Amino acid sequence: MNEIDQLSEFLQKLTPLSRSCLLSELERLELCGVDMPGSSDILAKLRAEFRKDGSTQARATSPSRYFFAPLELLLIDGAPDHANAGRISRNTLTPIWEWICRDLLPTMARDYIKAINDQVTANNPKEVLKIASTFQTKVGKVLENTLASPESTETARGKLAQYTASRTAFDDVRKILHVLRAGDALPKFNAKLPEKITKFDDGQVAQITAQLDAFKKSHPQALPFALALLARRLKTSWQLVRLATRQAASKSATDVAVTPYACVVPMVLDRLDDKRLALRIALRHNRVLIARDLLADIYDTEYALKVRIDGIEQSDWGIRLQQLMDAIAALVSAEVSRFPSNVGHILGSRRLRSHDTLGGKLSYLAWKGRDAVQDGAAVFRKLLGQS
């Protein structure tokens, strides 16, 4: 028996749920840049079994898909092993589901799966949603009890670690609990947002800030998810920072950091990290045009943060930003160095940094001039208030 036959025999001994979990784990490692010898054959076999459409991203089976439905707009397909406030990695859902089915609520999960499958077969979508909602409530209550003490939390963390080595999977469990607690508040908030926000100007920022204030009052722990839903509607994710800078006494990093929505700055940095990972994958697969577009977006985000937050370089945000940009620069340098020095590379073009052009520099001066006027007016108002 050759190695391929042995591999096939081993995989067939696993349960379908375990094979699906193995697929998610291998894809997680692939996204994180971990090269596993021989994993390509295993991935091909598992994808052929679970992804009839040839997809390279995880999609939940019917019972788990209905259970995780409230998370759909918050899911990301990237590597799950770095910070992503307000978002949940799709690749952690399979191990979390297996943990729920085998350790958290095995009997109830078994009954739920049978009930869902029966109603799907009977083509009764209303009953399917009702069953899923009931099970979501049960899981939410058990999770609350499980996470209520350090001892039970560590036990649960250890159990989940049997299904994935992801460092952030248990964080996603907490996020799922917050989403379940919020109930229909998140879908209602999402429905009130404009379909597309091309220009996040002062009027729109004020309007949406009022909506966020009302949401935060009732569901403070779910606020990052509301912000993530907002980010989906923005033309560019860095525009999120306007929620913080608009309320700040000045554009200084110190003043921005004490605003109610200062949390949007690390959220923008999270998305910058997503783009770094996407850039690495694009370069690995020689998708240079995709890499070019990602790099242009990365440079625009870096520029926007530095222009709109004065002194960011000396803050924790700035330190993280510099670390990300150093890592991105190393990726670009490695790619460009593969070509002779007399051959221009598209990723080395100055045009990718649009702010380095004459128009970009004029815009920078205009922004800085406007900020100086606004900061001066803020100081003047503060002095009037003290007199």
Side-chain angles (χ1 to χ4, degrees):
M1 182 181 295
N2 59 36
E3 290 183 356
I4 295 178
D5 291 335
Q6 288 178 329
L7 175 61
S8 298
E9 183 178 338
F10 167 75
L11 292 176
Q12 289 308 311
K13 289 180 180 178
L14 301 175
T15 65
L17 193 57
S18 294
R19 291 198 297 276
S20 178
C21 190
L22 175 60
L23 174 57
S24 292
E25 187 67 3
L26 289 174
E27 288 181 329
R28 182 187 70 80
L29 293 172
E30 183 182 49
L31 287 168
C32 292
V34 178
D35 293 322
M36 298 276 289
S39 63
S40 57
D41 290 336
I42 302 176
L43 280 168
K45 285 182 175 296
L46 293 174
R47 282 171 177 160
E49 176 182 357
F50 292 102
R51 317 275 170 76
K52 303 302 182 184
D53 60 351
S55 170
T56 59
Q57 293 297 342
R59 291 296 182 271
T61 56
S62 290
S64 61
R65 178 164 56 86
Y66 289 116
F67 174 79
F68 289 126
L71 313 177
E72 187 58 40
L73 293 179
L74 304 168
L75 296 178
I76 56 170
D77 291 325
D81 285 0
H82 71 276
N84 263 306
R87 295 182 296 166
I88 298 168
S89 171
R90 192 183 298 276
N91 284 69
T92 62
L93 297 189
T94 298
I96 288 173
W97 180 247
E98 186 155 358
W99 170 66
I100 290 172
C101 292
R102 292 191 175 189
D103 297 297
L104 194 68
L105 284 170
T107 303
M108 287 186 181
R110 188 164 54 248
D111 294 342
Y112 163 76
I113 291 170
K114 183 181 184 307
I116 285 288
N117 289 334
D118 289 347
Q119 295 304 320
V120 168
T121 302
N123 193 24
N124 192 346
K126 288 185 178 179
E127 192 62 25
V128 166
L129 295 178
K130 182 180 177 181
I131 292 169
S133 178
T134 300
F135 190 57
Q136 288 160 4
T137 301
K138 291 178 179 177
V139 171
K141 289 180 179 177
V142 173
L143 284 177
E144 286 180 350
N145 292 331
T146 300
L147 302 179
S149 72
E151 294 79 11
S152 57
T153 296
E154 285 308 305
T155 299
R157 189 190 299 274
K159 290 287 186 180
L160 181 59
Q162 297 176 13
Y163 306 106
T164 176
S166 170
R167 299 187 303 273
T168 59
F170 199 74
D171 292 334
D172 283 347
V173 171
R174 294 182 186 276
K175 292 179 184 179
I176 290 170
L177 175 58
H178 294 325
V179 174
L180 294 179
R181 278 176 174 168
D184 62 355
L186 281 167
K188 286 181 178 178
F189 172 82
N190 189 54
K192 292 179 181 178
L193 293 173
E195 187 65 29
K196 193 72 177 175
I197 304 175
T198 304
K199 189 177 181 182
F200 203 31
D201 56 22
D202 285 350
Q204 197 125 55
V205 171
Q207 178 184 347
I208 290 177
T209 298
Q211 293 175 240
L212 286 166
D213 288 344
F215 181 89
K216 182 173 64 170
K217 188 174 181 180
S218 302
H219 306 281
Q221 290 181 313
L223 177 63
F225 305 108
L227 292 168
L229 292 174
L230 170 61
R232 291 171 59 92
R233 308 299 181 96
L234 296 174
K235 183 179 179 180
T236 53
S237 60
W238 65 257
Q239 290 178 321
L240 270 178
V241 301
R242 300 214 63 225
L243 291 170
T245 57
R246 186 181 180 276
Q247 294 187 350
S250 74
K251 292 295 192 294
S252 75
T254 303
D255 285 337
V256 174
V258 297
T259 61
Y261 293 103
C263 62
V264 297
V265 181
M267 291 180 75
V268 170
L269 292 172
D270 291 345
R271 283 158 176 75
L272 194 62
D273 204 3
D274 291 341
K275 291 183 177 69
R276 175 187 64 82
L277 292 168
L279 176 65
R280 186 184 65 193
I281 293 170
L283 292 176
R284 178 181 296 176
H285 296 286
N286 293 317
R287 296 169 182 164
V288 180
L289 294 181
I290 293 175
R292 177 200 62 188
D293 293 342
L294 284 166
L295 195 56
D297 197 14
I298 287 169
Y299 289 152
D300 286 347
T301 300
E302 177 198 21
Y303 177 63
L305 288 171
K306 288 183 175 180
V307 165
R308 296 177 183 277
I309 305 178
D310 290 342
I312 190 174
E313 293 85 355
Q314 287 75 46
S315 68
D316 289 341
W317 298 332
I319 292 171
R320 185 183 175 197
L321 174 61
Q322 190 58 54
Q323 290 172 343
L324 288 171
M325 296 310 299
D326 287 345
I328 289 163
L331 289 173
V332 174
S333 177
E335 170 65 17
V336 172
S337 67
R338 295 196 303 117
F339 295 80
S341 57
N342 62 334
V343 177
H345 194 292
I346 191 172
L347 298 189
S349 172
R350 290 189 62 184
R351 292 182 180 179
L352 293 179
R353 291 184 179 270
S354 59
H355 48 273
D356 280 345
T357 64
L358 177 60
K361 291 177 180 178
L362 290 174
S363 296
Y364 174 84
L365 292 173
W367 277 331
K368 283 302 181 184
R370 182 199 62 189
D371 291 346
V373 171
Q374 290 178 344
D375 290 350
V379 172
F380 184 66
R381 288 194 299 269
K382 189 179 294 185
L383 289 172
L384 286 178
Q386 292 173 352
S387 62

